[in-house]
Amino acid sequence: MTEAMNTTATQVRARKKVSPKEWAIEYAVLILLAAVLIALAILSPSFFTFGNIVNVLNQNAPLVIIAAAGTFVIIAGNFDLSTGAIYSVGGVVSASIAVGTGNVLIALAAAPVIGLLLGLFNGFVITRLRVHSFLATLASSMIFKTIAVLITGGSLITVTTPGFTALGRNRVGGIFIAVFVMIIVVGILWFVLSRTIYGRHVYAVGGNSEAAELSGIHVTRTQITVFAISGLAAGAAAAIGVSRIASGQPLAGDGLELSAIAAVILGGTSIYGGVGAVWRSVAGVFLIALIGNGFDLLNLNPQLKDMVTGFIILAAVGLAAAGRTKR
C-alpha cells in the first residue's frame, strides 16, 4: 500500500514538471512585458521617469479594473461585450445626479450601483433565457448605449460641482487616487478568484459546466455573479472616468469592452474557459498600454500601433491554443 502511494506521489511530481517551452507559454505575457520595458528604457530616456509611469498607471486604471473583472466572465466560459456601454451609462447617471443634487458621494456611488444592476440584468438574461453571452451582451450593449443617449439627450453633461473631480484628478504623495483604487480593486478580485471557494467554482464552471453541476456547484448562480462583478467593475471604472473629465458622455465607453477582452486574452486567459488569472489580465492591459506609450515617446506612426498590438494578440492566442492542444 505504502509503495503504491509512493509511486503515485512520484507520478504526480513528474506531471508537475514543466519544460522550458511550457514555461515560456505560461508566462509569455510577462516575458513580452519585460522585453517592452527594457526596450523602452533603452530607447527613451523619458520612459522611466516618475511622471510617465504614474501617468500610464492613471490613464489605464479604468481599463485595468474592467479587464480584471472581465477575467471572471471569460474563465467562466462567457464574454461580456456590454462593459463599455455600462461604463457610459454609469458615467452619465453619475454626472446627472451630481448636477441635479450637488451631492458628490451619492453621484459617484451611483455609477457602480448602476453597473451592478446592469450586470445582474445580463446574467439573468443569459441564464434564464439561455441566450449565448456573446449575443446577449451584444444586444444589451445596444440597449445600454441608447439609455445613455436618452439620459443626456445626445449631448454632454458638464459637472462643476465642487469635489467631483477629486477621485479622478487628485493625488496622494504624487500618485493619483485612481491608481490606489485600481490597486485595491485588483487585489480584492485576485483574492476572490484565487483564494476562495467561489473562485474555484468559477474555474470549475468554465472548465466543464456539466461536471460542475454534478459536483454540487450552482452553475446558474455562478454565471449570474460573474456578470454582476463585471458590471460592478465597469461602474466603478465609470466613476473614475467621469470624475476625471468632469462630464457625462454617452459614448465615453465606446471600444472599452474590446480593449478589455483583448487584454484578458493577451494575458493568457483561455477563451475556452477554465484557465486564467487576474494578474494575467492586468499584465495584458499594461503590455498594450506600454506599446502605446512607446509609440508616443518615440514619435512613431500612431497608425501602426493597432497593427502591432493586433499581431501580438494573435501570437498570444496562438500560443494559448498550442498549449491547450498539447494538454
Side-chain angles (χ1 to χ4, degrees), residues 122-258:
N122 281 335
F124 278 109
V125 167
I126 290 163
T127 56
R128 302 304 181 187
L129 300 183
R130 299 187 181 278
V131 181
H132 192 281
S133 61
F134 186 93
L135 295 175
T137 57
L138 178 62
S140 66
S141 70
M142 298 177 183
I143 296 172
F144 300 159
K145 284 180 183 178
T146 303
I147 292 174
V149 172
L150 291 175
I151 291 173
T152 63
S155 58
L156 306 182
I157 301 177
T158 302
V159 183
T160 58
T161 307
F164 187 77
T165 59
L167 177 62
R169 297 182 186 177
N170 285 12
R171 304 188 189 208
V172 177
I175 300 176
F176 290 94
I177 293 175
V179 175
F180 291 110
V181 174
M182 175 192 74
I183 293 171
I184 292 170
V185 172
V186 168
I188 293 172
L189 292 175
W190 169 83
F191 179 82
V192 170
L193 185 60
S194 62
R195 294 292 184 269
T196 67
I197 294 174
Y198 170 75
R200 291 196 288 272
H201 287 180
V202 173
Y203 281 105
V205 169
N208 190 322
S209 60
E210 293 181 0
E213 188 81 56
L214 292 174
S215 65
I217 296 174
H218 200 303
V219 173
T220 298
R221 184 185 303 159
T222 302
Q223 297 280 24
I224 291 174
T225 54
V226 297
F227 283 98
I229 290 171
S230 180
L232 178 64
I240 293 174
V242 72
S243 174
R244 180 184 297 165
I245 62 177
S247 67
Q249 302 179 7
L251 301 179
D254 275 13
L256 268 179
E257 67 283 351
L258 297 180

Side-chain angles (χ1 to χ4, degrees), residues 293-310:
N293 186 240
F295 269 78
D296 293 336
L297 292 175
L298 301 174
N299 293 317
L300 299 177
N301 186 346
Q303 295 180 350
L304 297 177
K305 180 177 67 175
D306 289 339
M307 183 180 73
V308 172
T309 304

